[in-house]
Amino acid sequence: LQAGWLHVSGVLAAGMLAVVWGAHWLHLQAVRRTHHCELLHCAATAGAVDGDAEFAAFINKLQTTICDEVAAMDGSGRTFGVDRWERDPSNPAAGYGVTRVLEDGNLIEKGAVNVSIIQGVLTPQRAQSMSSRGRSINPAGGDPYKAAALSLVLHPRSPLIPTLRADVRVFEVAGAKWYGGGCDLTPVYLNEEDACEFHAHWKEVCDAHHPDYYPQFKKWCDEYFYIPARKEHRG
């Protein structure tokens, strides 16, 4: 019998001009054929993040922390490779990204933890799309913007451990900032205990900041992850 769960959690509370940061933690339990249980976890905390430099430093540090902890838990001796790219080699100010991937591990079949920090000018198509969602942006485009994000996806080798996806991001244009993010588990075989513990940790983090956050953000997620054609939620 093999069973287990993999959790990466953090507060990625979205707001028009504010972001709530709480505890970030990484949790893995694997039950092996010999019924030997191995429990490993990582915790990282962050305070309020203000300004471009602070947010960039935060996600770069978080990327390193997550990669180191996942590689240690995997136990295969493999590490996350590093591929740094420039958005425009002729213009360093355009931004950069760091792609990190681990493959063929003991527990992780393939996992990626990526960071991107870029800036540019909004195209008319992008500006129209954003303004149509109620944001105060010139639909003609042309406004400078900045964006930074950390995203990850971890595919476990065992089908009894759910795939995990998470991201945190900020987008700034015309003097306004939008913070957002999310985290979800996608199981092959649904384990109610996994789902309950996953939501319990998110609720605990959200409740530390405001009692309305968890029900509000959970409602958004339930709507976002619903698949009408299948009449079910993804993850």
Side-chain angles (χ1 to χ4, degrees), residues 1-22:
L1 174 67
Q2 284 187 323
W5 69 90
L6 179 64
H7 289 167
V8 172
S9 180
V11 172
L12 307 171
M16 290 299 289
L17 296 174
V19 63
V20 177
W21 293 101

Side-chain angles (χ1 to χ4, degrees), residues 162-181:
T163 293
L164 182 140
R165 183 212 64 83
D167 75 287
V168 60
R169 60 190 181 272
V170 61
F171 188 88
E172 179 180 0
V173 62
K177 291 183 180 181
W178 292 272
Y179 290 88

Side-chain angles (χ1 to χ4, degrees), residues 7-233:
H7 289 167
V8 172
S9 180
V11 172
L12 307 171
M16 290 299 289
L17 296 174
V19 63
V20 177
W21 293 101
H24 284 265
W25 56 271
L26 185 61
H27 182 97
L28 172 65
Q29 179 176 1
V31 181
R32 304 186 184 278
R33 293 183 184 277
T34 59
H35 302 285
H36 172 64
C37 296
E38 182 178 319
L39 178 65
L40 306 101
H41 65 88
C42 160
T45 59
V49 178
D50 297 313
D52 303 327
E54 289 85 354
F55 188 85
F58 171 76
I59 60 176
N60 276 302
K61 181 179 179 181
L62 184 60
Q63 181 189 40
T64 299
T65 299
I66 292 174
C67 289
D68 289 348
E69 293 296 335
V70 172
M73 286 187 290
D74 183 73
S76 64
R78 295 181 179 274
T79 59
F80 281 80
V82 180
D83 179 19
R84 181 185 172 98
W85 50 267
E86 302 292 334
R87 189 181 185 207
D88 181 355
S90 65
N91 178 19
Y96 68 93
V98 181
T99 300
R100 302 199 60 182
V101 177
L102 183 150
E103 296 183 274
D104 299 324
N106 287 339
L107 297 174
I108 304 299
E109 181 177 13
K110 188 171 185 178
V113 185
N114 304 323
V115 161
S116 60
I117 300 170
I118 63 173
Q119 60 183 343
V121 176
L122 278 182
T123 63
Q125 294 84 352
R126 183 70 183 274
Q128 289 169 13
S129 175
M130 296 183 69
S131 63
S132 68
R133 296 197 294 269
R135 293 172 176 169
S136 300
I137 294 175
N138 179 5
D143 287 327
Y145 74 86
K146 296 179 181 179
L150 178 147
S151 62
L152 65 87
V153 59
L154 301 175
H155 295 284
R157 187 171 292 280
S158 170
L160 298 178
I161 302 175
T163 293
L164 182 140
R165 183 212 64 83
D167 75 287
V168 60
R169 60 190 181 272
V170 61
F171 188 88
E172 179 180 0
V173 62
K177 291 183 180 181
W178 292 272
Y179 290 88
C183 183
D184 62 273
L185 301 179
T186 303
V188 176
Y189 300 101
L190 179 62
N191 185 317
E192 293 290 345
E193 185 179 351
D194 287 353
C196 290
E197 181 161 348
F198 180 76
H199 281 277
H201 279 286
W202 275 86
K203 186 177 186 302
E204 181 181 356
V205 173
C206 290
D207 286 351
H209 297 276
H210 197 287
D212 291 342
Y213 282 163
Y214 176 78
Q216 178 184 356
F217 298 150
K218 183 180 184 302
K219 181 176 182 295
W220 290 354
C221 289
D222 287 343
E223 294 171 352
Y224 181 82
F225 289 111
Y226 184 70
I227 306 173
R230 300 181 62 176
K231 297 182 179 180
E232 65 180 21
H233 290 87

